[in-house]
Amino acid sequence: MSSLKVLLNDAEKHFGKLSSFYVHHIIPYVKRRSPHTYIAAAVVAFLSYQVYNAVRVPRNLRHIPAVPYWKYMKSALSGEGIDVRAQKVILPVLAKSPNGIYLRPNEFGWTVAIASPAAMKTLFLRTDDYPKHSSFNKNMESLAVRFGGAENIAILNGSVWKKHRTIANPAFHRSMPVRMFGKQCEKMMVAFEKEGDGLVNVDVPKLLQRFTLDVIGLAAFDYNFEALDNPNNEKVTMYNEIIKGTQNPVYFFFPILEKYFLWAFPKRKALHRKMDEMNTIFFSIIDRKRKTLASNKNNIEEVDKDLLTLMLEANEDTENPQHQLSDAELRDNLAVFFLAGHDTTSNTLCFALYYLAANQHVQEKAREEALRILGDGDDIVYPSAQQCSDMKYIYMVMKETLRMDGPAQNTIPRQSSRDTELAGTFIPNGTSLIADMFVMHHDPSVWKDPEAFVPERFAPGGESESKAGQGLSWAPFGSGSRQCIGMNFSLAEQKVALSMLLRKFTWTLPDNSTIKEHIVIGGGVGIIYPEELHLKFTKRF
């Protein structure tokens, strides 16, 4: 056995030298050859490296149940949704785990995935033991990292993170423009009737994405993407192409492609050029907003202040320059706000509308609450913040939607800062970890009949409340000090949109719908979204 270890160690050393030689000598050579030659050479080298380095479970993690590598990767790269992968690949392995901990591949190699309430709570609350992964913001060749940035509140740790939190958190919590939500929702409802086939066949994801993009643009820095008024304009197209590109599973699992072989993928390279253009827009907005604030500081009503204005004010009020955020840091945090407030919210609303269409008794019960709070009639009513707080059953619908199809499959990776024990399992120092919320939310050992849509789980005294002492069984936004910064913003926006839609329309699945039994989840990584969703709406007035 010892001689085998020596051979394996020698093989690793030689392979490392071979990889270095390839990067520094072979790549420059094949760049001078025909496209077919260097692409073929890149593919062969890439596959050799991945097969050797990625397939094997590291020796110090072999005590944890692991998903079959090839079966998992086939599912992830074939376009199957996380729901299919969870049922076919993950849950059978998880059933053999004594504590809801298992291994799966991600961009950092084999990663410890947490899918039990007790271990989930520990992971979220012990931030010193499990900080955000130190390498996440270092791969600046990645389109996803270029969009989100390397210096934002979502990925930083320690004192630097606290500096960002001091500026960003108060601004985000002061800004809750529910009236603006209502105005944009009214625009969206008009588009329901006028565009495409009208109310008989509404392309729900397309319209909700436009609604939430306009909302976050206006709320974040008073920038109008005009997605509802002019959906095909250059700003909207560029933004949507970039976001779609960040969710491509190929570049997620194999970051080496963007790091060393971007020249071989012209379409991907074009997306990086669009990212340059998007950055120009971000920085020009920050510059213009700072000048506007300097000339009109005392003339802006509190209710009209967007997130960037509030952050700039907090930045100016910070006496120590070392505690202020640079323009680059402001830009990175605004990008995170976009991720927290656009696709996540639009997709959650899509799933909510689907479940209300598929469960008519739930839709009618939710409508009764909306009419009781907002009143019935043929006028448009914008819900107030207090009225949103009174929407108890609609909130239960939202919470069950977030359990079934929450905005994120899992968290940004964390990394153990020392040798630790998590739910009785040894976690070596430097191990990558993720909180696997989707799998936990669909685990029959955690939730009764997890594939059924039952908002009453979240009623007082319901199933969710009975689990309070077991840890975190519902965690779509994370928990603890690193909880999603956009949670309250998103929840308020959802309540406004759902209540206004319930008041004006009833809706059903079209007669020829292919998703009557089950909605199809898209095959991207990170954000959970419906593959497609068309609904039939009927006006109440």
Side-chain angles (χ1 to χ4, degrees):
M1 182 63 71
S2 60
S3 60
L4 178 60
K5 288 183 178 179
V6 171
L7 286 173
L8 287 173
N9 288 335
D10 287 341
E12 288 184 6
K13 290 178 182 177
H14 288 306
F15 195 87
K17 292 178 180 178
L18 180 62
S19 299
S20 178
F21 178 81
Y22 178 84
V23 169
H24 292 100
H25 299 283
I26 301 300
I27 288 180
Y29 173 80
V30 297
K31 276 185 176 181
R32 297 192 295 268
R33 304 297 168 182
S34 72
H36 297 294
T37 302
Y38 63 67
I39 290 175
V43 169
V44 169
F46 159 71
L47 289 176
S48 300
Y49 181 84
Q50 292 300 322
V51 168
Y52 182 85
N53 197 49
V55 175
R56 298 181 311 140
V57 175
R59 287 191 292 274
N60 62 355
L61 295 177
R62 290 176 187 168
H63 57 289
I64 302 174
V67 300
Y69 180 85
W70 292 115
K71 191 174 182 180
Y72 182 92
M73 294 302 292
K74 180 181 177 182
S75 173
L77 297 175
S78 68
E80 286 184 337
I82 180 60
D83 54 335
V84 177
R85 188 153 56 257
Q87 295 296 331
K88 287 171 51 177
V89 184
I90 299 174
L91 285 172
V93 173
L94 192 62
K96 301 174 184 177
S97 171
N99 53 9
I101 295 177
Y102 73 99
L103 289 178
R104 63 184 249 194
N106 83 343
E107 70 266 45
F108 299 123
W110 285 98
T111 292
V112 175
I114 310 301
S116 73
M120 188 82 69
K121 182 177 181 179
T122 301
L123 182 71
F124 283 136
L125 299 186
R126 282 169 49 184
T127 54
D128 289 339
D129 288 339
Y130 307 109
K132 296 299 177 78
H133 202 290
S134 61
S135 297
F136 185 82
N137 61 349
K138 293 179 181 178
N139 183 20
M140 289 307 298
E141 296 85 0
S142 160
L143 184 66
V145 175
R146 287 198 65 203
F147 181 84
E151 300 290 333
N152 63 60
I153 195 172
I155 61 176
L156 294 170
N157 292 299
S159 60
V160 181
W161 168 73
K162 290 179 181 178
K163 178 184 77 169
H164 284 248
R165 183 186 65 178
T166 300
I167 301 296
N169 272 8
F172 215 98
H173 293 140
R174 281 168 64 191
S175 178
M176 197 58 66
V178 291
R179 185 168 179 82
M180 186 267 284
F181 296 162
K183 288 181 178 179
Q184 295 303 314
C185 185
E186 182 181 7
K187 271 189 176 184
M188 179 180 67
M189 292 191 297
V190 171
F192 273 23
E193 298 183 54
K194 291 186 175 181
E195 297 188 15
D197 298 326
L199 294 178
V200 297
N201 188 31
V202 176
D203 188 338
V204 173
K206 185 177 292 185
L207 284 158
L208 280 170
Q209 285 169 5
R210 288 159 55 189
F211 160 66
T212 56
L213 181 57
D214 279 349
V215 164
I216 194 62
L218 292 168
F221 36 61
D222 194 27
Y223 183 77
N224 192 355
F225 277 92
E226 302 179 280
L228 286 169
D229 295 327
N230 183 14
N232 298 316
N233 74 68
E234 185 178 355
K235 297 175 293 187
V236 173
T237 301
M238 178 172 62
Y239 176 82
N240 286 336
E241 288 178 356
I242 291 170
I243 293 300
K244 185 177 180 180
T246 64
Q247 298 171 3
N248 188 317
V250 172
Y251 298 97
F252 172 80
F253 285 106
F254 308 124
I256 191 175
L257 293 177
E258 283 184 296
K259 188 168 186 177
Y260 296 121
F261 305 127
L262 187 60
W263 39 268
F265 302 94
K267 290 184 178 179
R268 191 69 176 181
K269 196 170 183 178
L271 283 181
H272 279 265
R273 287 195 294 268
K274 289 182 184 295
M275 189 63 246
D276 293 335
E277 295 177 40
M278 180 62 71
N279 275 333
T280 300
I281 292 175
F282 278 136
F283 284 113
S284 66
I285 290 172
I286 292 171
D287 182 61
R288 185 170 68 249
K289 185 67 66 174
R290 180 177 281 110
K291 292 176 181 176
T292 301
L293 184 61
S295 59
N296 298 292
K297 186 170 185 178
N298 298 320
N299 298 325
I300 305 174
E301 295 292 333
E302 186 72 16
V303 70
D304 295 326
K305 293 178 180 178
D306 53 65
L307 291 169
L308 179 55
T309 297
L310 293 169
M311 289 177 67
L312 287 169
E313 286 184 346
N315 224 24
E316 288 184 1
D317 293 341
T318 303
E319 295 181 0
N320 188 341
Q322 292 184 341
H323 294 165
Q324 293 179 342
L325 300 184
S326 66
D327 281 2
E329 290 171 321
L330 287 167
R331 174 253 172 252
D332 289 359
N333 280 296
L334 287 171
V336 168
F337 296 163
F338 261 82
L339 292 175
H342 174 230
D343 266 9
T344 53
T345 302
S346 67
N347 292 327
T348 302
L349 281 169
C350 285
F351 287 116
L353 293 183
Y354 165 77
Y355 288 119
L356 289 171
N359 300 273
Q360 287 291 312
H361 65 289
V362 177
Q363 184 182 149
E364 189 52 40
K365 190 172 180 179
R367 181 173 293 104
E368 289 173 2
E369 181 179 73
L371 296 179
R372 176 173 53 80
I373 294 172
L374 302 178
D376 201 355
D378 60 359
D379 57 337
I380 295 294
V381 175
Y382 302 151
S384 66
Q386 181 56 54
Q387 287 173 325
C388 288
S389 298
D390 294 338
M391 296 175 187
K392 307 301 182 185
Y393 187 72
I394 290 174
Y395 187 35
M396 288 160 56
V397 170
M398 290 162 50
K399 292 183 80 171
E400 178 68 342
T401 300
L402 289 162
R403 183 193 67 81
M404 292 285 287
D405 299 294
Q409 299 177 20
N410 47 256
T411 58
I412 291 173
R414 301 191 178 214
Q415 186 176 35
S416 56
S417 61
R418 60 184 180 85
D419 288 349
T420 64
E421 187 178 277
L422 183 57
T425 294
F426 173 68
I427 306 295
N429 179 31
T431 299
S432 173
L433 305 98
I434 58 168
D436 196 339
M437 293 94 71
F438 184 91
V439 169
M440 182 182 71
H441 290 163
H442 289 263
D443 188 345
S445 70
V446 177
W447 293 94
K448 298 175 184 176
D449 196 9
E451 302 309 314
F453 185 79
V454 185
E456 286 73 17
R457 297 180 199 270
F458 296 93
E463 183 184 1
S464 177
E465 195 172 281
S466 69
K467 300 178 183 296
Q470 300 176 17
L472 291 171
S473 56
W474 183 81
F477 298 101
S479 186
S481 61
R482 305 306 298 263
Q483 189 174 58
C484 174
I485 192 172
M487 181 182 73
N488 291 330
F489 185 98
S490 177
L491 292 175
E493 186 179 354
Q494 291 176 52
K495 286 181 179 179
V496 169
L498 285 176
S499 61
M500 290 181 68
L501 288 166
L502 285 162
R503 190 173 181 271
K504 184 167 184 178
F505 300 112
T506 61
W507 60 91
T508 60
L509 294 170
D511 295 335
N512 61 349
S513 175
T514 60
I515 56 173
K516 284 192 174 183
E517 299 299 324
H518 185 67
I519 192 167
V520 178
I521 293 178
V525 296
I527 303 298
I528 295 173
Y529 62 93
E531 190 65 47
E532 66 170 306
L533 175 61
H534 289 78
L535 297 176
K536 179 181 179 180
F537 285 77
T538 302
K539 292 173 66 174
R540 295 186 64 251
F541 58 82

